Amino acid sequence: MVPPESACILALETSCDETAAAVIQGGRLISHHLATQEIHARYGGVVPEWASRAHLQHIVPVVDAALADAGKSPGQVDAIAFTQGPGLIGSLMVGASFAKAFALPRQLPLIGVHHMQAHVLSHFIEAPHPGFPFLCLTVSGGHTQIVRVHDYLDMEVLGETQDDAVGEAFDKIAKMMGLPYPGGPWLDRYAENGDPGRYVFPQAKMEGLQFSFSGVKTAFRLFLEAGIKNNPRFLEEERDHICASIQANLVSALMEKLVLASRQTGIRDVAIAGGVSANRGLRRAMEKAAAEWGWRVFVPSWEYCTDNAAMIAIAAHYLYQKGVFLGADVQPMARMPWPENRR
Ligand code: KG4
Ligand code: ZN
């Protein structure tokens, strides 16, 4: 086996609607490419069957581009990694099948990566890195979790959502406002020009470090219906204020629990990761908390917040170091349990 300091790993991400490939060598990212699937915008959400088909179309050109950019030929790859789960099963299968077909004839180690663990590890793609232990709020279209990170592959979920993920709440609320899919970035954009204190929405009272976002979604629907009933132009006239106010509600629900987690654990290196960590309101709230609570705050570059293969590559690098490889009979998992901890 090639030693981890020089091993060249090709990594694939196909869990949802981005087809991505990256090349990492000795823990240093050398290239990454991504093809976003435009087709879903037409339907206001990801259509799983379209996603799998689009992955099939994109995977070869995306891998070719990542290898070409890295100046590597397929023969120079020492291991191949793919997102094993969680995600859409058809989409995951495309990445898993490609990885197996690539690995088998070359007898390469095969590495399966947990998508949410990779979001956490996106903090090690580039400096500055948080110190262990740190807290990571992972906020995406499918997850909302507070993770205590003891080591690269040793993590513990302290709390999570009991229903919708916060990204899902952003997207569903944006959809009610007639904004395109995915709605999170649109809400963020309009919120920049609005007054976050104009409207007040309820917040779920959850035990400990648990979250809930389904109630606010319903409250928002009723608020919008009542507003439009009073004034048919309500949405057009108030759009920016509505976006700013609902974003403030979602962000404060996240921050309240993150502050609680930091106070309970005494950990003050605090990170955010996943698609919603691109949100400007959340980033500002993190800066404010840093000043108020003496945190060191870590936020990934924009390109590593939403789904990408660079984070799969960095996770694969640590798994390779530990010799965690899979057999060719491995199956992707739509619901994948948190991986076994390794130190
Ligand atoms: O991590 P990600 O790319 O995919 C999943 O693993 O789900 O996260 C996608 C989610 C979507 O819900 C999208 O609306 C949200 O991240 N998102 C944002 C922003 N950019 C992406 N939400 C709020 N503000 C943003 N700027
Ligand atoms: Zn993700």
Side-chain angles (χ1 to χ4, degrees), residues 137 144-146 157-164 203-213 252-258 260-261 264:
L137 173 73
T144 305
Q145 299 177 318
I146 297 180
V157 177
L158 300 181
E160 61 192 327
T161 183
Q162 303 301 301
D163 41 55
D164 290 0
Q203 218 162 64
K205 293 271 166 283
M206 297 297 288
E207 284 270 305
L209 300 176
Q210 311 304 322
F211 299 95
S212 163
F213 292 102
S252 91
L254 295 172
M255 292 309 296
E256 187 191 311
K257 298 293 177 163
L258 196 53
L260 181 62
Q264 283 181 352

Side-chain angles (χ1 to χ4, degrees), residues 122-203:
S122 64
H123 285 282
F124 297 95
I125 299 169
E126 49 189 14
H129 309 315
F132 297 118
F134 67 92
L135 293 176
C136 187
L137 173 73
T138 48
V139 275
S140 72
H143 291 80
T144 305
Q145 299 177 318
I146 297 180
V147 184
R148 189 204 317 233
V149 188
H150 298 284
D151 202 353
Y152 300 110
L153 301 176
D154 184 359
M155 308 181 188
E156 175 191 359
V157 177
L158 300 181
E160 61 192 327
T161 183
Q162 303 301 301
D163 41 55
D164 290 0
V166 67
E168 200 178 342
F170 266 102
D171 293 341
K172 287 181 177 166
I173 284 168
K175 194 174 177 179
M176 291 180 216
M177 297 181 69
L179 301 175
Y181 177 84
W186 288 92
L187 251 159
D188 182 355
R189 184 175 311 173
Y190 294 133
E192 286 298 294
N193 306 318
D195 169 10
R198 177 77 68 112
Y199 300 104
V200 177
F201 299 97
Q203 218 162 64

